[in-house]
């Protein structure tokens, strides 16, 4: 299975969305919670692990401003934006097929 | 303890210090780190940056607390990280079980088989008791991890 066909977890998707503007860890937690209407709550330990994985994959990077300050900030990279864009297309396909079959439109 | 109004303030070897607070004022969380707290400085600072306070550590066990007014406090929110944490704890419990069972079994066996053995049967029984406790603990953790792994097929 190619990487293009693997679904992102909801947590990772919201982390990527949150980082279209630079944010530190707590900011990411708050933004993900706000975007999802309180449904997606990222715990600190889970978020730390996810951020390190996303950094290793090159989907996010640390910002220059975050390097010197107390709270490290992150921002999505162009590779991360490609991944987020692919995920959005996948989700739209899911919704389209669901609407067609379940017929809730 | 925190729910009853006793907030953990400091931890040390065989020592826990509490202070009186309003019941439920703090939520306290415990985590077993993969590396020592000294090597996990980055992680501890990260958790602190989310509004939690680092209380202290005993070995690789670290204690955090957060005021309830700042919102819910969990360290692991998805199934994968919960399973990883459980596996880490299971490894420690398994090691304790093996050491206790081996010591307890050996001392009890020697007390029975060797009349001249000078070992204390009580110590053997204590080790066997600890082995029993950790054995039950391991099984309980294993069942919890298995439930989560089954859920993982369906949920995140």
């Amino acid at each position: 299975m190619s990487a293009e066909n693997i679904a992102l977890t909801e947590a990772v998707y919201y982390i990527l969305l949150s980082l279209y503007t630079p944010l530190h860890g707590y900011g990411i937690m708050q933004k993900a919670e706000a975007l999802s209407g309180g449904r997606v709550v990222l715990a600190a330990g889970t978020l730390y692990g996810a951020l390190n994985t996303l950094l290793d994959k090159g989907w996010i990077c640390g910002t220059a401003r975050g390097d010197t300050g107390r709270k490290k900030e992150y921002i999505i990279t162009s590779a991360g934006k490609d991944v987020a864009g692919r995920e959005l297309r996948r989700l739209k396909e899911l919704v389209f097929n669901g609407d067609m079959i379940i017929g809730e439109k | 303890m925190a729910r009853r109004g006793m907030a953990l303030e400091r931890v040390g070897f065989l020592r826990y210090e509490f202070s009186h607070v309003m019941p439920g004022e703090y939520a306290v969380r415990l985590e077993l780190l993969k590396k020592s707290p000294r090597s996990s400085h980055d992680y501890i600072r990260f958790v602190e940056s989310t509004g939690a306070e680092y209380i202290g550590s005993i070995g690789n066990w670290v204690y955090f607390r957060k005021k309830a007014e700042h919102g819910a406090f969990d360290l692991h929110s998805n199934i994968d990280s919960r399973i990883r944490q459980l596996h880490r704890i299971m490894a420690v419990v398994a090691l304790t079980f093996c050491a206790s069972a081996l010591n307890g079994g050996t001392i009890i066996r020697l007390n029975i088989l060797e009349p001249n053995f000078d070992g204390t049967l009580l110590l053997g029984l204590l080790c066997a008791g600890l082995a029993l406790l950790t054995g039950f603990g391991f099984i309980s953790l294993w069942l919890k991890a298995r439930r989560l792994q089954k859920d993982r097929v369906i949920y995140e």
Side-chain angles (χ1 to χ4, degrees):
Chain A
M1 191 190 282
S2 71
E4 290 187 2
N5 294 328
I6 297 175
L8 297 182
T9 64
E10 199 174 44
V12 166
Y13 182 63
Y14 273 108
I15 291 169
L16 290 175
L17 287 185
S18 302
L19 291 177
Y20 270 74
T21 51
L23 276 178
H24 49 66
Y26 191 48
I28 298 168
M29 288 164 78
Q30 290 178 310
K31 189 148 185 191
E33 197 172 336
L35 284 173
S36 63
R39 197 174 48 76
V40 175
V41 178
L42 299 171
T46 298
L47 177 58
Y48 182 81
L51 287 173
N52 280 328
T53 301
L54 294 176
L55 282 167
D56 287 343
K57 288 186 173 299
W59 293 356
I60 66 172
C61 61
T63 65
R65 199 177 93 185
D67 284 345
T68 52
R70 197 171 156 260
K71 287 185 181 180
K72 197 172 180 178
E73 285 193 343
Y74 306 90
I75 191 161
I76 193 168
T77 60
S78 56
K81 286 179 182 175
D82 285 343
V83 168
R86 272 203 299 275
E87 180 66 11
L88 179 59
R89 286 192 292 279
R90 188 189 72 83
L91 291 169
K92 282 180 175 175
E93 178 202 309
L94 286 171
V95 170
F96 177 78
N97 288 324
D99 278 343
M100 194 171 60
I101 291 169
I102 300 169
E104 283 182 1
K105 223 177 190 174
Chain B
M1 299 286 286
R3 268 199 295 265
R4 292 178 193 171
M6 298 289 287
L8 187 62
E9 286 283 342
R10 252 182 302 276
V11 296
F13 182 67
L14 298 178
R15 202 174 99 236
Y16 292 87
E17 288 179 28
F18 296 86
S19 63
H20 286 285
V21 296
M22 293 296 291
E25 185 177 340
Y26 282 97
V28 178
R29 295 290 178 261
L30 168 65
E31 182 173 4
L32 178 61
L33 300 177
K34 212 174 4 179
K35 300 178 198 172
S36 70
R38 194 169 288 184
S39 304
S40 306
H41 177 86
D42 200 38
Y43 173 67
I44 291 170
R45 292 292 90 83
F46 181 85
V47 175
E48 284 186 311
S49 75
T50 66
E53 296 169 45
Y54 172 61
I55 299 170
S57 65
I58 300 173
N60 282 12
W61 293 93
V62 289
Y63 293 81
F64 293 100
R65 71 180 191 181
K66 189 173 178 182
K67 285 206 163 193
E69 66 190 16
H70 296 150
F73 182 35
D74 279 307
L75 291 170
H76 300 281
S77 51
N78 74 350
I79 293 179
D80 286 329
S81 58
R82 280 185 203 157
I83 289 172
R84 273 194 297 272
Q85 177 68 194
L86 276 174
H87 282 168
R88 228 174 276 154
I89 297 169
M90 280 164 66
V92 171
V93 172
L95 203 66
T96 309
F97 167 78
C98 291
S100 310
L102 195 66
N103 280 333
T106 304
I107 293 170
I108 291 170
R109 191 178 72 88
L110 286 171
N111 267 280
I112 294 168
L113 296 177
E114 304 281 329
N116 298 326
F117 181 66
D118 204 19
T120 313
L121 182 61
L122 178 63
L123 181 62
L125 290 171
L126 281 172
C127 287
L130 183 61
L132 206 64
L133 271 170
T134 49
F136 278 123
F138 183 86
I139 290 168
S140 166
L141 290 169
W142 180 79
L143 288 171
K144 195 171 181 181
R146 201 174 73 146
R147 263 195 310 274
L148 285 173
Q149 274 158 346
K150 280 186 175 177
D151 282 349
R152 185 64 189 87
V153 175
I154 304 164
Y155 306 110
E156 290 172 9

